[in-house]
Every structure is written in structure tokens, then in C-alpha cells.
Amino acid sequence: MDTPAPDVSVVVIVYNDATRLPTAVASALAQSHRGIEVVIVDDRSTDGSYDTAQRLAANHPQRVRAFQLAANSGGCGAPRNRGIQEARGRYLMFLDSDDTLEREACRNLVEAADATHADLVSGKCVRVHVDSRNRKEVEWYPWLYATTRTLESIRELPDLLAFDTLSTNKLYRRTFLAEAELSFPVGIHYEDLLFSAQAYTSARRITLVPNRVYFWNIFERAERKSISNRRHELANVAHRMEIHRRVDALLAERGLEDVRFHKDVKFLKHDLALHLRDLPLLDATYRDRFAELCRPYLAGLHPDAYQEAHPIQAICAYLLTHQDWTNLLPAADTLTNRSKLSAPLVERDGRVYWCGEHLDDPDGRRILDVTHVGWHTRPLHTLFLRNQVTAYADDGRGTLHLAGRIVNPLGRITPEAQLTGHLEFRARRRSLQTFRFPLTSLRRDPDALEWTAEADLTGRLRPLGVIDAVWDVRVLVRVDESVLRTRLSVTHSELGGASTLRIRPRLSRLVADRVEPVASSRGHLSFVLVPKGPAARHTARLIRAAIAGPAGTLAKSGVRHARSARKRASSLHTKVRVYHEVFSRLPIRKGLVVFESHLGRQYSDSPRAIYEEMRRRGLPFEAVWSHSAAQPTGFPEDATLVRRWGWEHLRALAQAEFWIDNQGMPLKLTKRPETTYLQTWHGSALKRMGFDEPIHRSKSSGERAAYQKALDRFDHFLVRSEHDVRTLARAFRLREEVLLPVGYPRNDALVAARCHEKRTGFRDRGALLGELGIPQDRTVVLYAPTFRADPGGRVRPFELPFDVAKFVRQFGDRCTLLVRGHYLNQVVLPPAVNGAVLDVTERHDITELLLAADALVTDYSSVMFDYALLDRPMLFYAYDWNAYAGADRGTYFDLLREAPGPVVHDEDALFAAVEDLKSADGPYADARARFVTVYGEWDQGDATRRVVDILFPSGGVS
């Protein structure tokens, strides 16, 4: 009787992997979807893999078939092609012998294929780091698989072709493969890239599912490295370049040049970066040959791809095209160690560049510009600076001589700086030993700090042995009051003649009596404990066996359990449980008031105004302010400060009589009935909020219910106009009795300033100008934009949308620009504008900035509603209005029609409007008055008094 055709053929390819092959096959046979056949194709193994395959076929005669190629092909293409020929199922999958399928993989993929009639269905691949202590798992580009979706063309999601180039996490309709005549290239590595591109561009319909389907097992310690772990081999570089050329030709042939742009971006971000990371560790001959292979391909990349890549990725690619090793090798170090600054940088015409070369080339000037990265503005002690070893020597016994250069970016370490430093050996395992040796010399030149050190390891370095086998080396330098912590960058060639150095372990010299210098995978100097001879190696094996034995396992298990217990005790889940089950059973403390502003980031806004009014009245209350900073600054000294989500914070919230904040106390915490929650909020709404936001439409009913439960905690919610009632109150689904139509306490000062100016004719801009060193005769313009987020709610990086250097050239003699970024963003200003443009983002309270400003430039920030109360000129820089008001989020009203000031859409129009501020003043006076009437009608200057009277009607806390 004929065997019915299977639903899915899983093609398992194998070469010299007899040990792991049965596990891979078992994962296919154990699928919850039962109509599975396994087709094993052996690439002429020499270790008995084919014998293993035949036994598996014999044990499962109806479900497993085994085949062997006549000769080894040296890659994955030929065995997979044979599998396609032998497959009988409606659908087909590929599985490597060292990987496994998730148990529901075939069921999820087949159901999606049947439902959508897709030619290709793809699911999540998970990289499993088998050798890691906890089998670390990393999902492969999970953002592509956030939800189920079906594509009619790869143009709908070009990043799928660019990033997910695997063939193994996919289900293919077998007739589709035949009709499209798809096969893998043979005799070349990275064949998945071309096969996947062919499949994506040929498929009439592609479906993506958010399920895990494939486990890609990574064996870092394997003796025989996989192709992906042999990137430094030049043949593999040549193969990767050739495959990319073939993919580009395919996309050109099918008229998909727009898709190729996304692939070019990915090439810079991923493919090239994988190889560049190895360059500092390899010799000059290799580097020159590598450049010869890559430069022709780089020349054909779309120029705009460099703009989409990370700055250091683009810099490395550009310098490689010019074969500028002097500047490229440090850049490759930063590429590997992303937080490290490896170049001294240069400043030209008020901009900061990676290096001074190539700036006469427009592309070089654009790509090498790193002003926006902000290295020149970050505090010196926060920079991770490159420390290149320039000399390494030892006496063959135990004394080490080292010299190096630490990058001095833009000469920020001045000749007047007081310098001291030492060399540090630190055991890599936590909580073990550290040994230090003073530097023998330390001097500054404009680009670097040069140092030397001598370390007698025999007498000073005393490892325990075995458990502290790896030692990392650092140089710590104190520059005045700042401490720089650096790792030592070193190459294999610099350690070529190095000896092993004698040391005296604390436990026993039988274990090891010397250390050997090595360059780590990230290019840093380390020392590894090594046994002296066979006897020592034997002793070390015995000790390791004991550690691995029952007693050692028990001890390690105890340590792991203790660590796990500590981790669980401080976890979010535990804290929420303790809050509800323990702290919430404690008695309410009368007079305890917990204040918070912007999730603990600031001492500001209406909570600050209410707090200061309560202090002014002398009310008897206990004040607790929450903060989210490691070292909070700017908070009142007469209040108790607690770290947000810390145990003291949770206990205070549980026992408080009042919660007062402007954004939201932790959403997972239930408010006790005896606690009164005043939500002051932090601005009227232009953009859609709460349940009106598009992101909430995609959330589950449970997520929406939890969000509503958090909003229902409010006992009072401040509103400043009927607009707030129609928008914020409705979007948060607040009960009418919760609303307090009194205005915002933070705005009382603005109303008072406007009244004072109209009564006296004098504009009091406060004490801030003096603090910032701004002359009284300067016009002060405040630029305060809102943040941008993608449709998923992730905040986008902030870049100033106009040329501030040009602003200074045009207005710097009479105008000072204050830039106040949203608290979710970081502002970076070029050095050229220092003094004329000031970053005031870190100042807690924006009220003092509004009072100081003669004019406001904003986009869609709610600061417009507050500044309008001052009746001063306002400009609206709406350069991306269509995107912001349309697809991104949506708005409650048309700002372009109702703006109480000129709306401009480009830099030239913005500068023209600043030049003629009078046109934004008098002609728009009526518009400002209407704007305040509509959006700030209840801001009458007495909000703070009214709120405190409502909360404490008897003149004190209850």
C-alpha cells in the first residue's frame, strides 16, 4: 500500500556531526503536527554521520529517509538541493544537524500557510548560546515578527530581505520552489543570502508569524568552527562579497532598487561590521587583502545608506574605502566596544570630526562628522577612552614592563590638570581580588596621555588558582577630581614574543605557577593562569573534577540559589507583591505626602508649586519626594528623598495619606482607599493621548484593562479648560467628579508675570539670566520641541532640525538661544555655538525658562499652552507636521489654523521669523488671547491656593 504523502518534509543536512544529528531529527519527529517526514542528506561525512542517518531511517521507516552525496561539496547548498529533489511533502523546511525545531513550529507555520495561501511562511529564529552559563537565548531580529502579517510583495517590508536572510526558519510551498526553479548556489558560502532573496522576490505572498520556530545553536567552544565563526578567513570574505553582488544583480533584474537600498544599509550595519571587528587583531597583509576584496563593492553602495547606518559603522566603511588604517583601526575598536572613544577627534569650523583627514571630500566631511554623538559635551569621567599599548616587555621571570597612550579627546585634559594613575589587575570573576601598581610615569601631550608601568607579578599578584583563572588589566588615571578607567588595547602581534610570567598562587603551585598574556575577543589585554607542566595540569584537572563533582556541584548550587534568591527579592514581581501583601497592611500615616514629578526625574512642575505652597503656609505634613537618579540633585533639603521603586518608596506609597504627581505613580501599584491621589498632569493635549493613541488599539483586552485600572486611581485630576475635559479626561476615561477645573499650579507664576508686565510696563525675566551669564540687553529665544516616537511608541533619537551654527552667525550678536529638549531626549550642541546657544535641558523646572524667554520657538510641545499665558511672541517650527499629525499619532486640533503665532516649515522661514519677531507679536496678539481663552481659561493665577484649600480645607492635613 502506498504511503500517503507527508504534509511537511524537513530536510536535515549533516557533515561530520554524528553526535548531534539524532537530536535534530528527534526535534522534527516530535512535532505536534504529525504529518512530518525527515529527509537526511549527508555531505559525504568521514565520522560515521551517514551510518547514524541510516540507523535513524531504519528505526523510523515510514518517516525518515537518508541520502548521501557522491562527494563532499564543502557547503550547505548541494545537500539542501538534494533534499529539495527528494522531498515529498506539500511544504518543505530546512534544518541543520546541530540545530533543532521548536515543537509547535510546523503546526504554526502550516496553519498560517493554509490560511493565507502564502508561498513562504517565516517565524522567529532563536540563537541559543549553548556554551554560556545559562544557555543565553537571543531572538533573531524579533521586531520583524512583532505580529502576524501577510505581505503581497517584499516591497511592503524590505527589511525582511535585508535582515532575515536565513533559509531555516521558514516553510516553503514545495510547488512554489519547483515553479520558481529555486535552488541554493553550490561551491560558495553564505548561500542563504541568495536563496532567501530569490524566495522573497519570487513569492506571490509571504506570511510572518510571531512564534518561535527554529533554535540556532551556537557552540563557541567547538574545535571545528562553523563558517559564521570563521569570518577572519579571507576566502569567506570573498564569498560574502560575491553573494552580495549576486543578490544586487537579482534585485536590479527584478526592478527592486528601492529594496536594495535597505540591503545596503544592512550591509554596513551587519555584514561589513562582522569582519571589521577583527581587523585590529590581524596583520597588515591580511588588512590590505581585505580592503582589496571590499572596496569595489563599497564603491557601489547607495550614498544615502551611510546616513542610515550607525555613525561608527559609516566611518569604518568610509575609511576602509580610503585604506586609511591609521584612523580605521581605532574606529574598528570603537565598533567592537561601542561605548569606547578611540580617536582624539578634531574640531573644524565649529564641528567635531573623527579625524582631520578627508575633510576636503564632501562625503568625508559628512560621514566623519560626529558632533551629534556628543563626545565633546559628556563629562570626562563618563568617557571610556582607548588606551593603546605601545610597548610590552617582560624579563621572562615575573616582571612586566608596559607603556601606552590614552586618547585625550579635543585636548580636554589640559596641561594644568593634576595627573596620577596606577595599573590594576582584576580577577574577571566578581568579588575576587584586585592588585594595583603605581604608574612609573604619566605625561600629557595634546592628543594623548603617555604612561609607563612596571609590575613585579611574582611578588604581588597572588591569585587563588583555578577559580580566578582570568585577569583583566586596566589603567586608572585621576585627572583633577575625575577618574578615567581604561582597558588596554593590544593585538596578537604585540604579544608574539611575550613570555609566561611566574606568580605565586595562594592555594597551591601544583595548580599553576604562571600567567600568560592574551588579547581578548574585544582586543583587550588579559592574563590567563596556566599550569607549568603535566603534573600541574593533572592537579588542575583533579581540582576541576572535584568542583564538578557532587560536593562542588552542591556548593555551586548553593551559591546560585543564594544569588537567585537575592535577584528574586529585588525583582519587580517581588516588590509589587510585598507592596500589596505587606506594606499595604500597615496603617496609613496621617500627614504623609508623597510627591513625584516626571517619574522622579525632576523637582519641578505643579507638584513643586503645591509643595512650596504647603511649606509657605506651615502645614504640618511629612514630605517624601521620589527620584530616579543615582545621585539626585535639585530636590528640597527639608524633604525625605527615596529612590523610585526602592523599598522605602514602596512603603511610603503604601502608607501615604496623599499622592501628588504629574505623570503617573507606578502603574502596577493599587492605591489604598484611604489615600487621596491628586494627578496634576503636565500639559494640555495637542497630540492624541491615552486610549486615543493608536498603540492602544493593538493591545490586548487585559492590557487595556490594566491601564484603565491605573487611571481609575485618580481622586482628583487638574484641568485648565474645557479642551482638557473633551480630550484628556475623555481619553483617560475619567469620571466627571474627579476633574478639578482650577488650572495648573505651575502656571501661577506665568499669570503673575503677565499681570505685572501689563501693570508696570516692565518685563521681569527673573534671576536665570544672571545664572546663565546672559546680558540683560540680549533677546532670549527658547527652543522647546517635543519628542518623536515611532508607531510602536519607541522614542526616536533627537537631532536639532536646524543649523544652530548658522543661527549664531545670523543672530549671535544680539540673541541668545536656549535649547530645552524633552526629558526623553538628549541635546548635543556643536562647540562653535558655545555661549550663544545654551543647552538648558537639565534644568528641572521649565517655568524659570519661560519667564526668561522673550520669545518661544516650539513645534507641537504642550509648552505652547503655558507660554501663551505670558502673551509674548511664539513661533511654530512645524517641519514634519504631516507625519506628526497623520500617521505617527494624530492630533486633537489643526495647529496650522489655530497657532497663536507664525507657523514655518523650513529653516529659512524660521530664521526669517526670528529676524522679525515683531510680526509674531502685535499681529498675533488677538490670536494669543483667543488661544488662552480656549486652552487656558481656568489658569487665573490662583490654582496653587485653590488646590491646597481643596486638599486641606481645615488649614492642615487631616
Side-chain angles (χ1 to χ4, degrees), residues 594 596-599 605-607 610 644 658-667 671 676-683 710-720 724 728 732 734 738-746 947 951:
V594 178
E596 183 173 289
S597 179
H598 293 303
L599 307 179
D605 213 79
S606 293
I610 295 169
R644 198 171 195 266
F658 294 95
W659 292 358
I660 299 177
D661 91 302
N662 69 349
Q663 192 157 345
M665 294 297 192
L667 300 182
K671 181 185 71 69
T676 298
Y677 188 173
L678 170 64
Q679 175 54 253
T680 69
W681 203 240
H682 53 275
L711 296 171
D712 288 343
R713 298 178 301 174
F714 303 157
D715 296 295
H716 303 294
F717 185 90
L718 300 188
V719 289
R720 52 195 302 208
D724 288 355
L728 289 173
F732 293 148
L734 301 177
V738 169
L739 306 181
L740 287 184
V742 298
Y744 284 168
R746 73 181 187 193
V947 167
L951 292 182

Side-chain angles (χ1 to χ4, degrees), residues 424-736:
E424 177 184 271
F425 286 73
R426 180 185 292 270
R428 184 167 293 179
R429 282 202 175 183
R430 295 179 182 177
S431 304
L432 292 178
Q433 305 176 85
T434 298
F435 298 94
R436 291 182 173 180
F437 304 86
L439 299 181
T440 54
S441 70
L442 179 60
R443 71 177 189 85
R444 173 200 177 276
D445 70 22
D447 289 338
L449 298 180
E450 295 188 343
W451 59 269
T452 61
E454 181 178 295
D456 180 5
L457 303 188
T458 303
R460 291 286 307 279
L461 185 63
R462 300 296 308 279
L464 298 173
V466 180
I467 61 174
D468 53 356
V470 181
W471 291 77
D472 295 320
V473 188
R474 293 173 172 82
V475 166
L476 277 65
V477 176
R478 180 175 288 276
V479 182
D480 295 328
E481 299 304 315
S482 298
V483 177
L484 308 180
R485 294 174 170 82
T486 68
R487 296 290 303 274
L488 273 61
S489 297
V490 69
T491 65
H492 295 301
S493 59
E494 289 165 338
L495 299 178
S499 308
T500 57
L501 301 172
R502 294 181 182 276
I503 45 93
R504 291 192 298 161
R506 294 177 184 271
L507 296 180
S508 171
R509 292 191 186 183
L510 293 176
V511 174
D513 67 346
R514 56 192 63 218
V515 289
E516 178 182 25
V518 298
S520 72
S521 60
R522 290 185 175 269
H524 295 138
L525 178 64
S526 298
F527 283 84
V528 178
L529 209 61
V530 293
K532 178 181 179 182
R537 287 193 290 271
H538 178 67
T539 303
R541 282 195 297 270
L542 292 176
I543 294 176
R544 282 193 291 267
I547 293 174
T553 300
L554 181 62
K556 289 186 288 185
S557 176
V559 171
R560 283 196 297 270
H561 284 309
R563 288 176 177 170
S564 179
R566 286 199 299 270
K567 186 175 181 180
R568 287 196 303 271
S570 61
S571 70
L572 176 63
H573 174 78
T574 299
K575 287 183 174 181
V576 171
R577 184 175 178 181
V578 170
Y579 170 86
H580 289 110
E581 297 182 8
V582 180
F583 292 160
S584 292
R585 295 180 180 179
L586 298 174
I588 292 289
R589 287 159 54 185
K590 296 296 183 181
L592 176 59
V593 185
V594 178
F595 296 88
E596 183 173 289
S597 179
H598 293 303
L599 307 179
R601 293 181 177 91
Q602 302 172 351
Y603 171 61
S604 65
D605 213 79
S606 293
R608 172 179 178 172
I610 295 169
Y611 169 79
E612 291 177 351
E613 173 69 7
M614 292 170 66
R615 285 296 190 209
R616 187 189 67 77
R617 293 192 188 187
L619 298 179
F621 70 101
E622 179 186 356
V624 171
W625 273 90
S626 77
H627 68 87
S628 59
Q631 296 180 332
T633 58
F635 287 84
E637 295 181 358
D638 55 357
T640 300
L641 301 188
V642 296
R643 183 71 179 266
R644 198 171 195 266
W645 275 109
W647 292 113
E648 292 179 344
H649 179 227
L650 296 177
R651 179 165 180 162
L653 287 173
Q655 293 190 272
E657 186 177 6
F658 294 95
W659 292 358
I660 299 177
D661 91 302
N662 69 349
Q663 192 157 345
M665 294 297 192
L667 300 182
K668 295 180 180 293
L669 305 183
T670 301
K671 181 185 71 69
R672 298 172 70 177
E674 306 95 323
T675 301
T676 298
Y677 188 173
L678 170 64
Q679 175 54 253
T680 69
W681 203 240
H682 53 275
S684 296
L686 167 64
K687 54 184 176 287
R688 296 190 180 276
M689 302 292 293
F691 285 102
D692 291 343
E693 293 182 58
I695 191 173
H696 282 284
R697 297 171 194 154
S698 62
K699 290 187 175 181
S700 67
S701 57
E703 290 172 321
R704 290 194 294 271
Y707 184 57
Q708 185 63 63
K709 182 180 179 182
L711 296 171
D712 288 343
R713 298 178 301 174
F714 303 157
D715 296 295
H716 303 294
F717 185 90
L718 300 188
V719 289
R720 52 195 302 208
S721 66
E722 286 292 344
H723 170 74
D724 288 355
V725 177
R726 294 191 303 270
T727 57
L728 289 173
R730 183 180 62 81
F732 293 148
R733 300 177 183 175
L734 301 177
R735 305 181 307 279
E736 184 176 354

Side-chain angles (χ1 to χ4, degrees), residues 88-118:
R88 301 179 302 190
R90 285 196 302 139
Y91 298 105
L92 184 146
M93 290 189 72
F94 300 107
L95 173 63
D96 291 346
S97 61
D98 53 351
D99 299 331
T100 56
L101 295 177
E102 199 277 336
R103 188 172 184 274
E104 303 292 333
C106 290
R107 178 182 297 278
N108 290 324
L109 295 173
V110 169
E111 287 180 353
D114 287 345
T116 63
H117 305 289

Side-chain angles (χ1 to χ4, degrees), residues 387-392 402-406 450-452 489-490 494:
N387 186 349
Q388 178 63 49
V389 172
T390 56
Y392 179 101
L402 284 170
R405 286 172 58 87
I406 302 173
E450 295 188 343
W451 59 269
T452 61
S489 297
V490 69
E494 289 165 338

Side-chain angles (χ1 to χ4, degrees), residues 790-801:
D790 62 21
R794 292 183 296 272
V795 176
R796 300 173 186 164
F798 174 76
E799 292 186 21
L800 285 166

